[in-house]
Every structure is written in C-alpha cells, then in structure tokens.
Amino acid sequence: SGSVLAAAWAEPGFQKAREDLVLLAHRLLPETALPSNVRAALHLFFASMALAAFEDFRPHLQPALSAASHSFAVAAAAGEAKSGRRAVRTGGQEELVAAITAVGAYAIAVGAHFAPHIQATLPSVCSHAQNPDAKVRTAVAESIERFGRMLGGLGEQLGPGPSQDRLFASEVARGLAMALLTLLGHQDGGASALRMALMVKEDLLQCQGFVELLGPDMVQQLSSACNGRSSDDVESSDGGDDDDEDDNEDM
C-alpha cells in the first residue's frame, strides 16, 4: 500500500519490493476500465509515493497526472448527468477525493517542477470548491494549501523583481485564493470542510512567499473572510456534517 511504501521508501532492504510495487502500480495506472475504488487506491498509492520520494517522484509525475485527469473527467461527466441533485457518497466520489488529494501531493512533492502542469490540473481541482460533498471540499482545501506552499517556494526562488514567471505565479496564487474564498463562503453544511478551509487560510497567510504573490488586496480579502472566524471556532466532526443522502448508486 502507499502508506507502507512511504514508511519504508528509504530502507535499502525494501528496494526490490518497492520496485515491484511501483511497477505493478504503473501497469494498472492507464487502465481506465478499472473499478472506481481501485483507481482511488492507485491515486492514494502514488500520493504516498510522491510524499516519500519528493523530487525523485518526477519520472512518475506525468502518468500519475494523466490518471488524475481521467478521474476528473469521469467526475465532470457524472456531475453533468446528475445536475441539480444533492451529493451522494459513492465510489466515484471517493475516486474524486483521492485524485484531488493526489494532485496536491504531487505539487508539494516536486515543487517548482510542477509548474508546467499547473494550467492543466489546477482548474479541475478548484472547480470543486462548490461541490456539495463536504469530503470533496475538504480535499480541495488540503490541495489548495499544498499548491499554495509550492507557489510560495517558487516565488522565493524567483525573487522580488518583475518577470513573466513571477506574474504567472501571482495569477495562480490569486486563483487559489479565490477558490479558497469560495470554500469559506459555502453555507450548505460541512463543518469539517469549513474548518479545513479556515486552517488553510491561516496557514497560507503565514507563508511569506505566497502572501507576496497575492498582493495586499487579496490578502485583505482572505484575512477578513468568514468575519474573522478562526478554525478553532468551528467544531469538526467525522459524521453528520456531510451533505450526502443515503443513496449508494454509482456515480
């Protein structure tokens, strides 16, 4: 599993087993006909691998992102088919949560090397800031935090002077802030999702590189969001705050 891989990544005695696991996962990754729960497990496997390998994950990045893009496309098609309905906890939703989580893990793991993939992946993540499922919104918040920290590190590498790269990073940072504001403004339940969004707001406002990319106007908007409420003001719950009906049909 991904957690085992992450814990034993640097162990010399684990090298052969690690290589076998990664090879098997790569063989499965392009298989779009796999059950949704298997695709979800693959996303989480590669997310754990990325957080264990950091920049060494770069050779695996493109196929992992392609698999995540497929999951985003499946979720988008299912969303169009069920437009106007309340959130339903399904295997498809769990796959979407795993894909969003994985993309954020890839970004923070490889850092600036993720920059060429931002435009292809970030809109898919941020588009779910209004998702009616609280677990999806929680995953979006977590990924925004990771993208924000990746951008903050990139901004520090670029330096303070004007450049096209810095302008691009600033635009992406402001887009992340807008998605976070959407999460903070969600009024339809999900205390855990709101608490996570507040925690992300607090963390990113302490990330100097990210704050410098935002600009003072967006920093002010984030600071005043939710009327100054903090994450400690919101009780998190593992149950009862998701917006799901007891409907188990597939996505």
Side-chain angles (χ1 to χ4, degrees):
S1 71
S3 58
V4 173
L5 185 71
W9 181 264
E11 295 293 330
F14 187 69
Q15 181 175 355
K16 179 62 169 61
R18 180 183 73 196
E19 292 173 351
D20 289 344
L21 281 170
V22 172
L23 182 60
L24 175 60
H26 267 288
R27 286 174 177 170
L28 292 173
L29 204 56
E31 299 293 333
T32 57
L34 290 171
S36 183
N37 65 322
V38 176
R39 290 199 299 268
L42 282 170
H43 291 316
L44 296 179
F45 176 89
F46 279 95
S48 295
M49 179 179 165
L51 295 176
F54 292 98
E55 289 195 355
D56 289 342
F57 185 75
R58 289 171 60 192
H60 311 281
L61 181 59
Q62 187 58 61
L65 285 175
S66 294
S69 294
H70 172 75
S71 294
F72 290 142
V74 169
E80 290 175 3
K82 295 187 175 183
S83 178
R85 295 183 55 183
R86 286 172 59 83
V88 177
R89 177 57 38 76
T90 68
Q93 290 290 76
E94 298 302 332
E95 178 185 349
L96 175 59
V97 168
I100 291 170
T101 299
V103 170
Y106 305 153
I108 196 66
V110 302
H113 300 293
F114 195 89
H117 306 283
I118 288 175
Q119 289 179 310
T121 56
L122 192 55
S124 296
V125 173
C126 292
S127 69
H128 289 283
Q130 292 181 309
N131 194 292
D133 189 306
K135 284 195 173 182
V136 174
R137 298 198 307 276
T138 298
V140 172
E142 291 173 339
S143 279
I144 285 175
E145 193 268 345
R146 286 170 163 170
F147 271 103
R149 289 198 172 276
M150 180 270 291
L151 283 171
L154 178 61
E156 291 175 357
Q157 292 179 31
L158 293 173
S163 68
Q164 287 297 316
D165 288 342
R166 189 169 184 84
L167 178 61
F168 170 72
S170 178
E171 290 176 350
V172 174
R174 292 173 70 86
L176 283 175
M178 291 301 297
L180 183 53
L181 287 169
T182 299
L183 288 170
L184 292 167
H186 203 286
Q187 302 298 317
D188 296 332
S192 294
L194 176 58
R195 186 170 190 270
M196 177 57 68
L198 286 166
M199 290 173 64
V200 170
K201 181 191 84 165
E202 292 157 8
D203 289 346
L204 289 182
L205 287 176
Q206 293 179 14
C207 178
Q208 188 61 32
F210 183 75
V211 167
E212 290 176 354
L213 289 172
L214 280 184
D217 59 328
M218 190 59 73
V219 170
Q220 178 58 36
Q221 286 189 56
L222 273 183
S223 299
S224 59
C226 286
N227 297 316
R229 293 175 76 187
S230 74
S231 57
D232 291 336
D233 296 329
V234 181
E235 290 188 8
S236 179
S237 172
D238 291 329
D241 66 350
D242 295 331
D243 307 328
D244 306 328
E245 295 174 341
D246 295 329
D247 184 344
N248 293 321
E249 67 178 279
D250 289 336
M251 186 172 155

